[in-house]
Amino acid sequence: MATLNIAESIAETRNYPYNCWWVAGFGNEVGRSLLARWLLDTPVVLFRQQDGTVAALEDRCPHRQAPLSLGRLRGDTVECGYHGICFDATGRCVRVPSADAAPSFSARHFPVKEVGPFVWVWLGDASMIGSAPPPPELPWMTDPTFATRSGQMEISANYMLLKENVLDLTHFGYVHASTFQIEDWTNPPEVSGDGETVGYRQRFVNKPLAPGYAMSLGVPPGTPWNREHRGSFLSPALQEGCVDFQDPSQPERAPARFRVAHATTPVDQSHMLYFWVIARDFATVPEAMDHLVGAIRTGFDEDRVVLEAIQAQSSRGPRRVSTGERSVKADAAGIQARRIVARWMEREV
Amino acid sequence: MATLNIAESIAETRNYPYNCWWVAGFGNEVGRSLLARWLLDTPVVLFRQQDGTVAALEDRCPHRQAPLSLGRLRGDTVECGYHGICFDATGRCVRVPSADAAPSFSARHFPVKEVGPFVWVWLGDASMIGSAPPPPELPWMTDPTFATRSGQMEISANYMLLKENVLDLTHFGYVHASTFQIEDWTNPPEVSGDGETVGYRQRFVNKPLAPGYAMSLGVPPGTPWNREHRGSFLSPALQEGCVDFQDPSQPERAPARFRVAHATTPVDQSHMLYFWVIARDFATVPEAMDHLVGAIRTGFDEDRVVLEAIQAQSSRGPRRVSTGERSVKADAAGIQARRIVARWMEREV
Amino acid sequence: MATLNIAESIAETRNYPYNCWWVAGFGNEVGRSLLARWLLDTPVVLFRQQDGTVAALEDRCPHRQAPLSLGRLRGDTVECGYHGICFDATGRCVRVPSADAAPSFSARHFPVKEVGPFVWVWLGDASMIGSAPPPPELPWMTDPTFATRSGQMEISANYMLLKENVLDLTHFGYVHASTFQIEDWTNPPEVSGDGETVGYRQRFVNKPLAPGYAMSLGVPPGTPWNREHRGSFLSPALQEGCVDFQDPSQPERAPARFRVAHATTPVDQSHMLYFWVIARDFATVPEAMDHLVGAIRTGFDEDRVVLEAIQAQSSRGPRRVSTGERSVKADAAGIQARRIVARWMEREV
């Protein structure tokens, strides 16, 4: 079993599978105009049809290569902005203004699934779509018990760097020392995997709550509570994180639940789009959620700085740096994730 | 006969011939100082000698590679700005300040011809200069019956993208929908070629004049007139466009004539300098010509946006886009132009 | 004996030896925080230990490649900013917060010597350190008779371009015509070398002093004095320049002495860090030294413009320029310097 060596691969060889569902964007980004996006080094144009379903085509007119996104949406057809050639939502050419009959060529068409807040796209081999797992569903995303917020950013780093980041939260005390102030995550968590997914689980019993946690739970900072953190690599495209908070003096009460989804879609080998959704079933009033989003954005920006520094160093070439990496116990989940991705890659050779 | 596939070639293989006269600039740009320009991926420095003739040298001192254009013109010699070494207009070294005698080396010299408003330069094999066609001449450029204006821009796109743009004006209704408002160009034109040049011809009989045309002809917008558009690929360096306007109620009158020259010179494989000259023998007062120049600049900027988007998409590498192109009837002239260029390229292998 | 052809090599093949002491910075730049710098295409982090000695490590955590300079200095250990892994000044890992015992891995460590104002670093093969000459010492740098100033700049050019610049001062009359106003350097100097160093010597007897020289010596501009300029290529890393000024009417007096050190460290093949130190034993009051520094900065910027233009032209690829160079008599010292560097390169193949 080959383990992808990220140290050597992040700047060079493709380490993202084509034959996988990836998040193209949030559903509320895709409307009745043309949205252009590079995903897996492929130009994609997305739009919502009149029946509400989302369509995706290669963002390149097969006639003379103009990006279709420079054109406009007319009904359910895309009109190229250069010579007015029109394509339907399946990519079929339906009109050439300077010719009597539509020719037989097509723009490339990509299957789409809208699940919860995400628009998923299949950019791989169409014949493989049945053998791949469907987009993972996270029920809390559409559970009205939860208040939900989302956001996105482009990060100039290989997508696996973020995967590894969220699979090893011992970085809390360093990268987020001043923001999250979670200082008790010093031991590596329990890790379990089934070959296609991998998860960690870490329990904190009677531990003083960091100020942000305490405030949202309505208790003084430092109050001893129980927390259980769990995280799962669900597919190369999606990672889930969970925190359950429990007042140890009220063990009969249901835990307060925080959830986060990290969807990462490679733009290319050294850039990713990062789509995140957070939710919780406590402190759900808008002011509290606004405050949470502010803290999350600050924290994710701290991660971005580290990941981009790693990528920049790795991408700088020709260069003379040591190669290879040394792992520690806290890398166990990240290493399993690399192995899972390595198997995805092997399947499409 | 190979047809250059622009889809594959614009980002990669050279598709401009060296053994061809190319426009280096307008004569009024070249004076008694040093003008630096990259043309055909070659650094060139241009200046006007005291007798009024233009000289062109490689913009690189043969001593230690400083661009000669950092230096200055003294009489008819170029003095390098680094160590003061001087070259005459033929490139011959005539002085080394730190040595008693001038050495035998030379800067590379390029033949120049000034024809009408253009300075043409030969950057190819000097021994082939006799076998290549001379720079095409367009008599209207110096005909005092016409009012003339000119301009230039750098476009980050392969020069052939502009050639194809001006050989297929069915893009008027899309790229220039709001500016030129010429909505009747829906059929592909007649195309004829002789193997070295290719031209199109399109007649519009009793068609309502677009607002810009009507205003310049002094009639209300929408007045039915006759128009004949003609365009010719004269060489890889120069394209001509003509419009003759005729009031159908006065068939005995000479047509009102509009002319345009599109000179494109590759800077490199993905950038061009675009030099244009427009002229007409009606509405020649300065205010009317100013208005025309404003509209032309707006329109050419619209073309630039499309061409640069095509080039950017094509240049982005490593990438995963469909390759190849599909052609329609309106591409007939552009395809002939590609074939002509392919023959120029074959001749210099 | 191969002569490095800079014309061909500056943009492409490495022409700086690893097995050589290079200047990493000024001692006063390195304190109790982490200083990051790319040197010889290697990321380096520098810091001063509690005992005052300087340490240098590869600026890359062996765990997951984060630049160590993103972290912080704790005592004499560097704490990585990602997961808090700590390294001592020899690079040995001394702590992994998420593990009980420190593992056996290390960050790469580089030997350092602090000599006068410079911190020198050895980035080459550690086993070769004994066979290489030690960092050259220039006694005037620490001689209290002299007033000293220093500065640095990054120049986007190969380091050898600066070496050649300071070994051929016939460029004074062109590059620095308006600043230094030294117009009498028209003859090439005497050159002598011993195979490992090369020097020039030029005497000016009873020559009018340029305004800047005259002002600092307290005489009217144009006063005839004697000057002796000497310059030496001491190693690929360091060049020294000297000017002795003598009033010809007072031959018994000791000369007024000006000194300059040009330390150039390649960042990579087309960028260098340029560290300079100037000193003189006359006009040593702060106001006079400030004025001198202003003139020096202006002059060095004039050199930078030329060197970056040469590098830019040379780096532009794919390109079509003449190759090779032609030398003149004034290049004698620069050519010997190339040969010396070529021998350094041969020794580490």
Side-chain angles (χ1 to χ4, degrees), chain C residues 2-268:
Chain C
T3 299
L4 274 184
N5 184 334
I6 297 298
E8 287 169 17
S9 73
I10 59 175
E12 318 202 352
T13 315
R14 177 167 66 91
N15 69 345
Y16 50 85
Y18 290 137
N19 293 331
C20 175
W21 288 97
W22 294 95
V23 173
F26 290 109
N28 61 17
E29 293 183 280
V30 184
R32 294 288 300 155
S33 59
L34 300 171
L35 174 66
R37 204 154 260 179
W38 279 78
L39 306 169
L40 312 195
D41 228 348
T42 309
V44 178
V45 59
L46 297 149
F47 60 97
R48 194 174 290 277
Q49 299 179 76
Q50 288 164 314
D51 69 1
T53 58
V54 174
L57 301 178
E58 186 179 15
D59 190 16
R60 174 186 182 278
C61 183
H63 170 236
R64 283 296 178 269
Q65 302 196 74
L68 290 173
S69 55
L70 285 186
R72 58 175 166 166
L73 186 60
R74 287 183 176 271
D76 284 350
T77 68
V78 177
E79 179 186 274
C80 178
Y82 198 177
H83 301 94
I85 301 181
C86 292
F87 302 89
D88 70 15
T90 70
R92 192 170 57 92
C93 179
V94 292
R95 180 169 184 253
V96 173
S98 62
D100 296 330
S104 62
F105 58 73
S106 294
R108 202 173 153 208
H109 165 262
F110 303 117
V112 163
K113 284 192 190 183
E114 197 167 0
V115 182
F118 290 135
V119 173
W120 296 82
V121 67
W122 179 271
L123 299 169
D125 179 348
S127 73
M128 299 299 290
I129 200 166
S131 10
E137 298 200 35
L138 301 176
W140 54 262
M141 282 195 180
T142 47
D143 179 343
T145 318
F146 286 82
T148 304
R149 294 292 182 89
S150 60
Q152 64 179 283
M153 60 170 103
E154 181 162 345
I155 301 182
S156 297
N158 183 270
Y159 82 114
M160 280 300 285
L161 291 179
L162 189 91
K163 286 280 179 299
E164 298 181 32
N165 174 282
V166 295
L167 282 168
D168 176 9
L169 299 186
T170 66
H171 75 266
F172 269 172
Y174 302 92
V175 178
H176 309 302
S178 60
T179 42
F180 297 157
Q181 299 181 56
I182 299 168
E183 291 158 4
D184 52 8
W185 200 312
T186 49
N187 296 319
E190 295 165 47
V191 171
S192 59
D194 63 6
E196 286 299 323
T197 65
V198 56
Y200 67 82
R201 184 178 126 117
Q202 184 91 319
R203 298 212 68 204
F204 297 87
V205 178
N206 261 310
K207 289 279 193 173
L209 286 168
Y213 285 158
M215 187 171 61
S216 63
L217 293 163
V219 298
T223 305
W225 272 48
N226 299 339
R227 285 142 51 214
E228 179 171 291
H229 292 253
R230 297 182 303 278
S232 303
F233 173 97
L234 300 173
S235 92
L238 189 69
Q239 174 92 15
E240 181 189 28
C242 301
V243 192
D244 289 347
F245 297 91
Q246 184 88 43
D247 179 349
S249 69
Q250 300 187 293
E252 72 291 353
R253 289 188 57 177
R257 295 177 295 169
F258 170 82
R259 301 289 180 265
V260 56
H262 311 278
T264 51
T265 309
V267 171
D268 58 24

Side-chain angles (χ1 to χ4, degrees), chain B residues 184-251:
Chain B
D184 52 8
W185 199 313
T186 50
N187 296 318
E190 297 165 45
V191 170
S192 59
D194 62 7
E196 286 298 324
T197 65
V198 55
Y200 69 80
R201 186 177 124 119
Q202 185 92 314
R203 298 213 65 204
F204 297 87
V205 177
N206 260 311
K207 291 281 193 171
L209 285 170
Y213 285 159
M215 187 172 60
S216 63
L217 294 162
V219 299
T223 306
W225 271 48
N226 299 339
R227 285 145 47 216
E228 180 170 291
H229 292 252
R230 298 182 305 277
S232 304
F233 173 98
L234 300 173
S235 92
L238 191 69
Q239 174 92 15
E240 182 188 28
C242 302
V243 193
D244 289 347
F245 298 91
Q246 183 90 42
D247 179 350
S249 69
Q250 300 188 292

Side-chain angles (χ1 to χ4, degrees), chain A residues 46-59:
Chain A
L46 298 148
F47 60 96
R48 195 172 290 279
Q49 298 179 76
Q50 287 164 316
D51 70 3
T53 57
V54 174
L57 302 179
E58 185 180 17
D59 190 18

Side-chain angles (χ1 to χ4, degrees), chain B residues 41 58-60 62-63 98 123, chain C residues 313 318 320 322 324 326 331:
Chain B
D41 227 347
E58 186 179 15
D59 190 17
R60 174 187 182 279
H63 170 235
S98 61
L123 299 169
Chain C
Q313 182 140 307
R320 184 165 165 259
S322 299
R326 304 298 297 263
D331 295 313

Side-chain angles (χ1 to χ4, degrees), chain B residues 9-20:
Chain B
S9 72
I10 58 176
E12 317 202 352
T13 315
R14 178 169 64 93
N15 71 344
Y16 51 85
Y18 290 137
N19 293 330
C20 175

Side-chain angles (χ1 to χ4, degrees), chain B residues 18-342:
Chain B
Y18 290 137
N19 293 330
C20 175
W21 287 97
W22 295 94
V23 172
F26 289 110
N28 61 19
E29 294 183 279
V30 185
R32 296 287 300 155
S33 58
L34 300 172
L35 175 66
R37 206 153 256 180
W38 278 79
L39 306 169
L40 314 194
D41 227 347
T42 308
V44 179
V45 58
L46 297 148
F47 59 97
R48 195 172 290 278
Q49 299 179 76
Q50 287 165 314
D51 69 4
T53 59
V54 174
L57 301 179
E58 186 179 15
D59 190 17
R60 174 187 182 279
C61 182
H63 170 235
R64 283 296 179 271
Q65 302 195 76
L68 290 173
S69 55
L70 285 186
R72 57 177 168 166
L73 186 61
R74 288 183 175 270
D76 285 350
T77 68
V78 177
E79 178 187 274
C80 178
Y82 199 176
H83 301 94
I85 300 182
C86 292
F87 302 89
D88 69 17
T90 70
R92 193 169 57 90
C93 178
V94 292
R95 180 167 184 255
V96 175
S98 61
D100 295 330
S104 62
F105 58 73
S106 293
R108 204 174 151 205
H109 165 262
F110 303 117
V112 163
K113 283 193 189 183
E114 195 166 1
V115 182
F118 289 136
V119 172
W120 296 82
V121 67
W122 179 269
L123 299 169
D125 178 348
S127 74
M128 299 299 290
I129 200 167
S131 8
E137 297 202 33
L138 300 175
W140 54 263
M141 282 195 181
T142 47
D143 178 343
T145 317
F146 286 82
T148 304
R149 293 293 182 90
S150 61
Q152 64 180 284
M153 60 171 101
E154 180 162 346
I155 301 181
S156 296
N158 184 269
Y159 83 113
M160 280 299 285
L161 291 179
L162 189 94
K163 287 279 180 298
E164 297 181 33
N165 174 282
V166 295
L167 283 168
D168 175 10
L169 298 186
T170 67
H171 75 266
F172 269 172
Y174 302 91
V175 177
H176 309 300
S178 60
T179 41
F180 298 157
Q181 297 181 54
I182 299 168
E183 292 158 3
D184 52 8
W185 199 313
T186 50
N187 296 318
E190 297 165 45
V191 170
S192 59
D194 62 7
E196 286 298 324
T197 65
V198 55
Y200 69 80
R201 186 177 124 119
Q202 185 92 314
R203 298 213 65 204
F204 297 87
V205 177
N206 260 311
K207 291 281 193 171
L209 285 170
Y213 285 159
M215 187 172 60
S216 63
L217 294 162
V219 299
T223 306
W225 271 48
N226 299 339
R227 285 145 47 216
E228 180 170 291
H229 292 252
R230 298 182 305 277
S232 304
F233 173 98
L234 300 173
S235 92
L238 191 69
Q239 174 92 15
E240 182 188 28
C242 302
V243 193
D244 289 347
F245 298 91
Q246 183 90 42
D247 179 350
S249 69
Q250 300 188 292
E252 73 290 356
R253 288 191 55 177
R257 296 177 295 170
F258 169 82
R259 300 290 180 264
V260 56
H262 310 279
T264 51
T265 308
V267 171
D268 58 26
Q269 190 60 15
S270 55
H271 298 82
M272 78 183 95
L273 289 174
Y274 176 24
F275 304 99
W276 52 264
V277 181
I278 54 168
R280 64 185 178 193
D281 64 0
F282 60 99
T284 56
V285 296
E287 296 72 21
M289 292 301 291
D290 288 347
H291 186 270
L292 174 63
V293 166
I296 288 283
R297 285 192 188 280
T298 304
F300 287 0
D301 263 338
E302 291 170 334
D303 289 316
R304 187 181 51 74
V305 167
V306 174
L307 305 193
E308 292 187 343
I310 293 173
Q311 183 67 50
Q313 182 140 309
S314 182
S315 293
R316 181 171 173 153
R319 64 199 183 282
R320 185 163 166 259
V321 298
S322 299
T323 52
E325 295 171 333
R326 304 299 296 262
S327 295
V328 298
K329 205 173 167 191
D331 296 311
I335 288 171
Q336 284 203 34
R338 290 181 186 186
R339 287 188 185 130
I340 293 168
V341 168

